[in-house]
Amino acid sequence: MSNYQQITIIANKIIKKYDLCDNCLGRLFSKQLHLTSNKLLGKKLKNNLNSTEKCYICKNLFDNLGHFLKLMLDTSSDYTFTTFCVGAMIKPSIVDRDDFIRSQYKLKGIDSVKADITKELGRLYSRKTKKRIDCLDPEITFTLNLKDELCQLRSKSITISGRYVKSQRGYQQKQKPCDNCSGKGCRICNFHGIAEFDSVEGVISKLIFNKFGGTTAKFTWIGGEDKSSLVLGSGRPFFVKIQNPFKRKARLADTTIDSITLRNLKLVHESPKKSLKFNSTISTTISTESNIDSKSLRKLKDLIINPVVVYEKSGKRSEKKIFEVKYKKNSQNLFTLVILAEGGLPIKRFVIGDDVKPNISQILETPCVCKEFDFLDIEVQ
Ligand SMILES: [Zn+2]
Ligand SMILES: [Zn+2]
């Protein structure tokens, strides 16, 4: 007896007892026969016998796929993408009846009714939109709730890297999170997690939300500065991950907004997993309690000999190398210090001498205060 004849016998047994739709009946045997269309096989096995009863397993869910396809098309109409995947939640009773039939007739290695529905919806959506199914790394993931007839969409995050130059004092680097949701995203902040846009983070976020849409933007900064610091030269590098973007591509030209210039903006694979090593050229204006003379200032040159040790309250200890030291005396109690140092050296603490050794106050043997510090350049190693 051929494989097909054996299958016909079992299929006949099943349909004598249970009404099944073409899709469900065909699904039980299509893998075994290496066929792709469950529906056609089901039709053939039933000998075009049409039943008026609803399918025992799915209650004719497959007749209603057009409705869910429309739901998917409506939900995704604002998104630009090329790949997608479909997931579904179906009534547990459908799954139970599917399992029951499969175990009663000892049918193994076949698709579940849920897998068949998502496969079918994926095929319909792909045919309609020319988008490609990719369930390993989809740009868009649909989750259909077939019970409540809802469609959820998740868009994979995108990451952009770039640099910013801050040519005027007065911009905080980071934006204060939304008061209402503490940054998680809520209706008040339009799900952005920030409600105002008056910082470097705010300016970049606004530009990105305009170009790509999206909910929250998560930043990774390569170092930080004060509100009163300038960031010059080629600027400070940053990475920003945008959740749920509408668009995945856009022209990213250099742009200046107020006194913030954004450069080298580009889409990248992801934010760095480990913190990047970088060096900063920092110019700092320092006032001293006692008068200073050139002889004591000259001692600052020795800073390049050994690394500066930074102690944190947590007990953490780190070393920062200083590679270059230049200084200029401005008056009896004021001088400018320019250093090239390993990224992350806490400048104010380094000047005052707050758990940083050696430090400027200690070297000059007089209490010193950092009036201002600016970044002349930042280079990533
Ligand atoms: Zn069915
Ligand atoms: Zn909020």
Side-chain angles (χ1 to χ4, degrees):
M1 223 185 327
S2 75
N3 204 2
Y4 183 75
Q5 282 170 325
Q6 284 175 12
I7 280 168
T8 322
I9 294 169
I10 306 169
N12 280 331
K13 264 195 214 165
I14 297 175
I15 44 181
K16 217 173 258 172
K17 218 166 159 193
Y18 302 99
D19 278 294
L20 295 186
C21 68
D22 295 346
N23 288 77
C24 285
L25 182 63
R27 175 168 53 86
L28 302 178
F29 306 102
S30 59
K31 283 251 165 96
Q32 225 175 315
L33 292 168
H34 307 288
L35 297 172
T36 48
S37 172
N38 297 338
K39 195 171 177 173
L40 285 180
L41 176 61
K43 210 176 221 120
K44 196 173 161 199
L45 287 171
K46 279 209 262 178
N47 243 334
N48 291 326
L49 179 95
N50 267 330
S51 161
T52 47
E53 293 291 314
K54 276 198 168 179
C55 172
Y56 169 76
I57 295 178
C58 74
K59 302 290 174 206
N60 293 8
L61 201 51
F62 285 91
D63 289 349
N64 205 16
L65 294 188
H67 171 72
F68 293 108
L69 173 64
K70 185 168 182 310
L71 215 56
M72 288 167 71
L73 292 167
D74 289 348
T75 314
S76 59
S77 61
D78 288 337
Y79 292 81
T80 313
F81 59 100
T82 51
T83 59
F84 74 99
C85 182
V86 187
M89 290 185 278
I90 64 175
K91 277 189 199 163
S93 57
I94 295 182
V95 178
D96 289 348
R97 289 193 297 268
D98 188 38
D99 289 347
F100 173 72
I101 292 283
R102 292 200 281 176
S103 74
Q104 198 178 11
Y105 293 94
K106 301 194 172 45
L107 300 162
K108 287 189 187 125
I110 60 170
D111 278 348
S112 68
V113 62
K114 187 162 120 176
D116 196 21
I117 286 172
T118 54
K119 207 187 259 181
E120 202 55 40
L121 281 169
R123 203 173 333 195
L124 290 171
Y125 186 85
S126 177
R127 196 183 301 160
K128 189 96 187 164
T129 60
K130 307 283 175 263
K131 312 276 185 207
R132 197 159 45 80
I133 300 173
D134 177 357
C135 284
L136 283 179
D137 189 24
E139 292 175 347
I140 294 283
T141 305
F142 293 99
T143 307
L144 283 152
N145 181 332
L146 300 181
K147 184 169 158 254
D148 300 326
E149 307 203 349
L150 297 169
C151 178
Q152 257 187 1
L153 182 155
R154 217 182 57 236
S155 157
K156 192 183 146 198
S157 65
I158 54 171
T159 304
I160 290 168
S161 74
R163 282 177 175 256
Y164 68 89
V165 170
K166 185 164 111 186
S167 58
Q168 260 179 43
R169 304 181 193 285
Y171 268 95
Q172 284 296 4
Q173 183 186 33
K174 290 168 192 167
Q175 189 73 49
K176 181 173 78 64
C178 164
D179 285 335
N180 189 52
C181 66
S182 319
K184 279 193 210 78
C186 67
R187 225 161 270 281
I188 290 175
C189 61
N190 222 348
F191 301 98
H192 290 327
I194 54 173
E196 285 154 293
F197 298 89
D198 54 0
S199 62
V200 175
E201 178 176 343
V203 165
I204 301 170
S205 298
K206 198 170 182 178
L207 176 92
I208 276 168
F209 293 144
N210 282 339
K211 276 192 187 290
F212 297 94
T215 48
T216 52
K218 195 175 169 288
F219 282 81
T220 303
W221 306 100
I222 307 305
E225 79 264 355
D226 263 20
K227 188 177 179 180
S228 63
S229 303
L230 301 176
V231 180
L232 306 170
S234 50
R236 183 181 301 288
F238 65 89
F239 293 83
V240 54
K241 182 174 166 184
I242 305 135
Q243 302 286 4
N244 258 307
F246 283 132
K247 283 174 75 178
R248 319 192 64 83
K249 280 180 197 138
R251 219 174 69 83
L252 291 164
D254 290 1
T255 175
T256 300
I257 301 152
D258 295 329
S259 51
I260 309 294
T261 300
L262 301 174
R263 287 180 180 166
N264 297 37
L265 295 172
K266 55 174 184 272
L267 281 158
V268 291
H269 190 57
E270 59 183 356
S271 301
K273 291 262 185 291
K274 278 193 277 176
S275 50
L276 294 181
K277 280 200 169 288
F278 64 102
N279 294 332
S280 311
T281 307
I282 307 160
S283 168
T284 163
T285 311
I286 296 167
S287 72
T288 60
E289 202 170 282
S290 324
N291 290 352
I292 38 168
D293 55 47
S294 314
K295 199 178 144 209
S296 54
L297 280 177
R298 209 169 298 139
K299 288 191 284 180
L300 294 171
K301 289 275 187 194
D302 293 343
L303 278 167
I304 59 168
I305 299 171
N306 290 313
V308 172
V309 184
V310 181
Y311 301 90
E312 302 301 339
K313 296 269 176 289
S314 62
K316 203 182 132 218
R317 172 191 184 278
S318 60
E319 292 187 355
K320 301 289 174 193
K321 278 188 205 121
I322 295 180
F323 306 102
E324 278 174 42
V325 176
K326 283 182 217 159
Y327 53 81
K328 189 174 152 260
K329 192 173 157 187
N330 302 322
S331 72
Q332 291 301 332
N333 300 87
L334 198 71
F335 70 102
T336 304
L337 177 72
V338 178
I339 55 171
L340 171 62
E342 247 181 293
L345 176 70
I347 292 299
K348 286 178 173 169
R349 288 172 52 195
F350 171 57
V351 174
I352 298 173
D354 176 11
D355 282 339
V356 178
K357 273 179 192 149
N359 59 68
I360 305 293
S361 299
Q362 172 202 347
I363 293 168
L364 299 182
E365 293 173 36
T366 178
C368 297
V369 175
C370 169
K371 303 292 261 183
E372 233 163 41
F373 65 102
D374 296 329
F375 289 82
L376 304 185
D377 213 355
I378 294 145
E379 53 179 275
V380 177
Q381 285 170 314

